Amino acid sequence: MSKRPITVAYGDGIGPEIMDATLRILEAGNAQIEPEIIVIGEKKYQEGHSSGIDNSAWESLNRTKVFLKAPITTPQGGGFKSLNVTIRKTLGLYANVRPCISYHPIITTKNPIMDCIIIRENEEDTYAGIEHQQTQEVVQCLKLITKPGSEKIIRFAFEYAKAYNRKKISCFTKDNIMKLTDGMFHKIFDEVAKEYPEIQTDHYIIDIGSARLADTPERFDVIVTENLYGDIISDIAAQVTGSVGLGGSANIGHDFAMFEAVHGSAPDIAGKNIANPSGLLLAAIQMLVYIGQPETASLIHNAWLKTLEDGILTGDLYKEGIHKKKVNTTEFADAVIQNLGQKPSTLKPVHYATGENKKIEGKYTMTHKTEKKLVGVDIFLDWDEADRNPNVLGKILDSISTQNLKFQKMSNRGTKVYPDGNPATFCTDHWRCRFVTNNYAIAASNQEIIELMQKITNQNLDIIKTENLYTFDGKLGFSVLQGE
Ligand code: NAI
């Protein structure tokens, strides 16, 4: 078998230590890979690349299409983009697959039975990174949920469940609050589920879902969810299995794939040679399956399980009096190498079958076009006068209209404050002023919105943004105000 070129980044913090351990184990296991090393992250940020990656790294990635990546430190504060998010989005890695498995009775955990795959949408949601400060007091982050993005990840989850003989998929959203965004994700989940009657499904509101995942993880098999929720629950789930150091993940796209640990660069323990390399190693094992080397993946995975079973553990997992030996990163890798060829006896051995690298695709099929009608506009104002008395602003807006657009009501942070607001409602300097056509029955035009904006500006009011209000096939494409 010829060696498969892969791109490798040693990353920041504990990255070099755990990557070194991982690559040594892969080499000892005779993985047929040819690593191309790229430098990304902190060093590149310091050199002035605000994205943390340069062209030569992209060239390698475009060539190999498979990336084994150690964690990267994301600099805090303005100006720097998260490199992880950039890579996932640039390469179209829409599916993040995070197995969370408990290793009872070897690894102490409150939840001995856990074998759950978290499938996290990887490209959109608040991770679109579109943020604006609009007034002195208010900043906004756009949460973008798209039909193609949702269908792709949901279909991927069903195809994954089918391919790996999983019985149930749970969808996590917060659609009791975000009725349009999360509501659409949930609806698409229900639609796609109809095509897979052999797979059971259920839905949890994210808060109770997370609580149950932490408390009774055995109730979950596959979980599919949006980007932010997936990020949070996969750390919870990895921690429930014993340590965040145990979580490995695959980021899968149409043409590219990236494999990494769930955890970050752990600067608090960097350079001490004590980090657990297991998360990155388990990610590398997923990579071997993906590139068609399942036997090597099984060999290494079983050697790793045997090492756990021998009670040879890094400090994050080791318990005095229960386990045999506390080891550092290098010694842990040595122990796994020693165990190559052996299988665990208490823990279940792993067998990746040939052909298991079958490509799982999350297709987008829902292209049904609806009739879109403009029925109004939300005009957002920065207004900080008259002690922010909504009645003062409301009275001014009452006098402004166009032929079809009339002022309807005003909200502050989503709560209705005019007409008939409650004086107890706290008001910031950020006002949403809704102008609509009569009962949404008549269509307005963009020209009319411009006319309206001109009239508002003539009153010396400061427009900071607008959102058009549409109906789609007669259904409202916008949220109603709280308190309506
Ligand atoms: P973290 O995951 O790096 O660390 C959280 C805690 O877990 C720390 O106490 C750490 O010592 C421990 N830990 C993590 N990995 C471990 C391992 N392999 N063995 C033993 N203990 C381990 O999260 P934190 O501190 O919030 O983030 C640090 C940096 O990593 C940040 O700059 C963050 O942006 C970045 N990060 C990068 C990711 C990536 O490259 N995919 C993912 C998450 C965070």
Side-chain angles (χ1 to χ4, degrees):
M1 186 193 287
S2 64
K3 290 196 172 182
R4 173 73 161 83
I6 60 162
T7 301
V8 167
Y10 277 77
D12 302 319
I14 58 170
E17 301 157 47
I18 59 173
M19 183 58 85
D20 188 57
T22 300
L23 288 180
R24 277 203 303 120
I25 297 168
L26 293 191
E27 198 183 353
N30 204 20
Q32 294 302 298
I33 54 168
E34 196 178 298
E36 279 186 19
I37 310 299
I38 59 168
V39 177
I40 56 172
E42 252 175 345
K43 191 150 175 274
K44 290 289 154 187
Y45 287 119
Q46 282 157 11
E47 281 174 13
H49 297 275
S50 66
S51 60
I53 181 164
D54 65 17
N55 281 342
S56 64
W58 284 122
E59 277 163 26
S60 171
L61 289 168
N62 284 328
R63 206 169 30 244
T64 69
K65 299 189 166 35
V66 175
F67 189 16
L68 181 61
K69 182 180 119 341
I72 302 290
T73 300
T74 309
Q76 301 269 311
F80 300 105
K81 282 263 172 202
S82 162
L83 175 55
N84 297 310
V85 176
T86 303
I87 294 171
R88 288 172 191 157
K89 287 168 66 173
T90 306
L91 301 181
L93 307 175
Y94 63 89
N96 194 327
V97 181
R98 299 183 156 186
C100 298
I101 296 158
S102 85
Y103 301 97
H104 180 78
I106 310 300
I107 310 285
T108 325
T109 159
K110 293 185 199 88
N111 298 292
I113 309 164
M114 177 169 196
D115 180 1
C116 171
I117 309 286
I118 294 174
I119 297 185
R120 163 188 172 195
E121 197 290 320
N122 223 13
E123 293 185 289
E124 43 192 55
D125 195 348
T126 47
Y127 288 61
I130 305 174
E131 296 189 300
H132 299 94
Q133 177 163 4
Q134 298 177 329
T135 68
Q136 296 297 322
E137 292 180 355
V138 178
V139 278
Q140 138 183 308
C141 174
L142 278 189
K143 166 165 170 148
L144 294 179
I145 300 293
T146 71
K147 268 192 200 168
S150 303
E151 189 188 341
K152 274 163 67 180
I153 193 66
I154 288 163
R155 237 172 234 291
F156 181 96
F158 278 94
E159 285 296 316
Y160 184 98
K162 212 166 104 179
Y164 289 97
N165 206 18
R166 296 270 173 171
K167 306 284 178 246
K168 193 176 102 177
I169 306 185
S170 306
C171 174
F172 282 19
T173 72
K174 186 79 183 169
D175 65 346
N176 54 333
I177 301 294
M178 282 162 279
K179 296 186 186 345
L180 264 74
T181 47
D182 286 24
M184 183 174 78
F185 194 88
H186 186 176
K187 218 165 113 214
I188 293 176
F189 177 76
D190 288 345
E191 279 300 304
V192 174
K194 288 182 198 151
E195 295 174 38
Y196 298 85
E198 71 281 12
I199 297 171
Q200 289 173 48
T201 56
D202 55 14
H203 171 267
Y204 287 81
I205 300 292
I206 182 72
D207 29 5
I208 190 63
S210 311
R212 296 264 155 80
L213 181 63
D215 184 54
T216 41
E218 63 274 16
R219 69 170 72 216
F220 296 107
D221 190 355
V222 175
I223 296 174
V224 65
T225 189
E226 294 166 15
N227 203 342
L228 178 61
Y229 309 143
D231 195 0
I232 296 168
I233 64 166
S234 49
D235 264 33
I236 297 174
Q239 189 67 49
V240 168
T241 68
S243 164
V244 287
L246 285 172
S249 83
N251 298 263
I252 307 288
H254 187 65
D255 298 313
F256 291 84
M258 174 171 83
F259 301 87
E260 61 180 343
V262 167
H263 61 75
S265 58
D268 52 336
I269 56 166
K272 296 183 178 160
N273 193 30
I274 57 171
N276 186 349
S278 299
L280 186 59
L281 182 67
L282 291 171
I285 290 168
Q286 287 196 57
M287 177 189 77
L288 290 174
V289 176
Y290 180 84
I291 61 176
Q293 301 183 24
E295 296 84 3
T296 317
S298 305
L299 179 83
I300 295 174
H301 202 151
N302 285 325
W304 176 77
L305 288 169
K306 177 79 171 75
T307 308
L308 298 191
E309 209 171 88
D310 289 347
I312 298 175
L313 299 168
T314 44
D316 53 322
L317 295 172
Y318 177 82
K319 295 264 180 326
E320 187 80 49
I322 297 177
H323 299 126
K324 194 165 140 203
K325 195 171 172 198
K326 181 171 161 184
V327 289
N328 65 27
T329 313
T330 316
E331 290 163 342
F332 182 79
D334 290 341
V336 176
I337 291 169
Q338 279 290 319
N339 279 333
L340 284 168
Q342 300 209 49
K343 285 189 177 163
S345 49
T346 307
L347 296 172
K348 200 165 151 240
V350 170
H351 177 68
Y352 295 106
T354 309
E356 227 171 273
N357 61 330
K358 52 188 166 261
K359 211 162 173 197
I360 296 171
E361 284 276 12
K363 289 200 197 83
Y364 172 48
T365 62
M366 295 178 180
T367 50
H368 167 64
K369 287 259 186 284
T370 47
E371 194 203 336
K372 174 178 161 186
K373 186 165 85 176
L374 180 64
V375 294
V377 62
D378 276 345
I379 296 191
F380 291 76
L381 300 179
D382 179 348
W383 188 73
D384 193 12
E385 289 168 30
D387 291 330
R388 299 185 185 173
N389 180 344
N391 295 327
V392 174
L393 180 57
K395 291 262 152 41
I396 302 171
L397 297 171
D398 272 337
S399 67
I400 297 174
S401 62
T402 62
Q403 192 191 345
N404 292 314
L405 292 170
K406 304 268 177 299
F407 178 51
Q408 187 195 39
K409 50 192 85 166
M410 185 166 72
S411 71
N412 198 297
R413 293 190 304 173
T415 305
K416 191 185 81 168
V417 290
Y418 183 86
D420 307 324
N422 186 322
T425 306
F426 177 76
C427 289
T428 66
D429 53 6
H430 186 269
W431 307 81
R432 175 170 65 161
C433 312
R434 178 160 288 181
F435 293 79
V436 292
T437 65
N438 193 11
N439 284 330
Y440 313 125
I442 312 158
S445 68
N446 278 324
Q447 194 56 44
E448 229 179 317
I449 290 175
I450 294 168
E451 190 192 328
L452 191 65
M453 288 171 73
Q454 185 62 58
K455 288 183 175 174
I456 291 171
T457 309
N458 290 348
Q459 296 287 332
N460 287 327
L461 292 169
D462 181 12
I463 299 174
I464 46 155
K465 88 167 193 158
T466 63
E467 288 285 352
N468 288 1
L469 307 178
Y470 296 102
T471 57
F472 291 84
D473 279 352
K475 288 199 192 113
L476 300 192
F478 47 91
S479 52
V480 293
L481 279 51
Q482 274 162 24
E484 274 192 76

